[in-house]
């Protein structure tokens, strides 16, 4: 093991957290994609970056949809780049070769497949929730009758995290925030399309809070 790797490992271990047989380094992986939609018959290239990562290998993870509890490791992939033709929610992490020392997992990147003209839009009966009341959101999917719905609310714009808030065409909400509807194929676990976000405010709050 080279002197430079030993120095790097020493720095990482200063902020290491031990989880079972795995040591989590105090460094977070960064995941980027060359595009977010897979073209018909094509693919997307994902890149996992770790600062000062000369002697790292990589682990790739895919979840078919948010909070599905079906997150699995992409088998046989340990390179910095992953080429995929399958939609879903992806994460990655780095591991120092020959050790159990891994980085913190990256933030998620959502990759969707070409929807062949499918368009998802959200309408709201109001953009402001009255005191003690609610707002009704409706998800409209054009050019596809064979999709299931997923509603998400952004919980942090800084790290682009979301929470699942519903799976029906129409939902009622009593909490302000930025909402999106997503369309998933019923016969697979592939994300086909998602709406533009709609911002719902609570009485007494400004849109700038979201």
């Amino acid at each position: 093991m080279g002197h430079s790797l030993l120095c790097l490992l020493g720095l990482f271990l200063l902020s290491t957290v031990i989880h079972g047989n795995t040591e989590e380094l105090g460094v977070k992986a960064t995941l980027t994609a060359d595009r977010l939609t897979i073209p018909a018959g094509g693919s997307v290239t994902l890149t996992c970056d770790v600062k000062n990562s000369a002697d790292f290998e990589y682990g790739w993870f895919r979840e078919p949809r948010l909070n599905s509890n079906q997150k699995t490791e992409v088998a046989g992939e340990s390179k910095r780049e992953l080429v995929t033709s399958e939609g879903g929610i992806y994460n990655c992490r780095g591991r120092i070769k020959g050790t159990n020392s891994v980085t913190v997992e990256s933030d998620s990147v959502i990759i969707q497949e070409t929807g062949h003209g499918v368009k998802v839009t959200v309408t709201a009966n109001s953009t402001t929730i009255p005191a003690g009341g609610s707002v009704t959101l409706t998800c409209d999917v054009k050019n596809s009758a064979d999709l299931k719905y997923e509603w998400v609310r952004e919980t942090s714009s800084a790290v682009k995290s979301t929470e699942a808030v519903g799976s029906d065409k129409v939902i009622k909400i009593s909490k302000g925030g930025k909402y999106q509807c997503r369309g998933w194929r019923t016969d697979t676990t592939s994300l086909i399309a998602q709406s533009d976000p709609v911002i719902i405010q609570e009485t007494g709050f400004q849109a700038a809070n979201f």
Side-chain angles (χ1 to χ4, degrees), residues 136-147:
T136 299
L137 302 180
T138 302
C139 189
D140 183 33
V141 180
K142 296 185 183 300
N143 301 326
S144 179
D146 215 17
L147 293 183

Side-chain angles (χ1 to χ4, degrees), residues 38-189:
I38 301 170
S43 62
V44 165
T45 299
L46 304 175
T47 303
C48 191
D49 281 315
V50 179
K51 190 176 182 180
N52 301 322
S53 58
D55 289 281
F56 274 65
E57 57 189 4
Y58 298 87
W60 291 93
F61 305 90
R62 176 183 176 272
E63 187 174 10
R65 60 186 180 278
L66 188 69
N67 297 329
S68 68
N69 296 318
Q70 297 175 16
K71 186 174 184 177
T72 58
E73 188 165 6
V74 180
E77 296 292 343
S78 61
K79 295 182 179 179
R80 178 171 168 267
E81 291 188 346
L82 173 70
V83 178
T84 181
S85 56
E86 189 172 22
I89 303 171
Y90 287 84
N91 298 81
C92 71
R93 71 181 180 187
R95 180 192 300 272
I96 297 178
K97 292 180 180 178
T99 75
N100 290 325
S101 300
V102 299
T103 67
V104 179
E105 276 189 25
S106 69
D107 292 331
S108 300
V109 169
I110 298 173
I111 302 298
Q112 61 188 60
E113 298 180 18
T114 299
H116 305 291
V118 175
K119 183 174 178 59
V120 179
T121 57
V122 171
T123 56
N125 66 336
S126 173
T127 56
T128 303
I129 301 172
S134 63
V135 163
T136 299
L137 302 180
T138 302
C139 189
D140 183 33
V141 180
K142 296 185 183 300
N143 301 326
S144 179
D146 215 17
L147 293 183
K148 50 191 173 185
Y149 301 96
E150 179 187 42
W151 288 92
V152 294
R153 175 182 177 271
E154 185 177 279
T155 56
S156 172
S157 59
V159 295
K160 298 181 180 179
S161 61
T162 58
E163 62 179 356
V165 293
S167 58
D168 296 322
K169 179 181 176 68
V170 180
I171 63 171
K172 285 189 175 183
I173 59 168
S174 55
K175 183 185 290 187
K178 186 183 290 186
Y179 290 83
Q180 280 183 293
C181 179
R182 297 170 179 165
W184 298 82
R185 283 182 180 167
T186 56
D187 59 336
T188 69
T189 56

Side-chain angles (χ1 to χ4, degrees), residues 19-50:
H19 297 283
N21 294 325
T22 300
E23 297 177 346
E24 189 174 272
L25 304 170
V27 177
K28 187 172 183 175
T30 301
L31 177 56
T32 56
D34 64 341
R35 67 183 94 189
L36 297 178
T37 301
I38 301 170
S43 62
V44 165
T45 299
L46 304 175
T47 303
C48 191
D49 281 315
V50 179

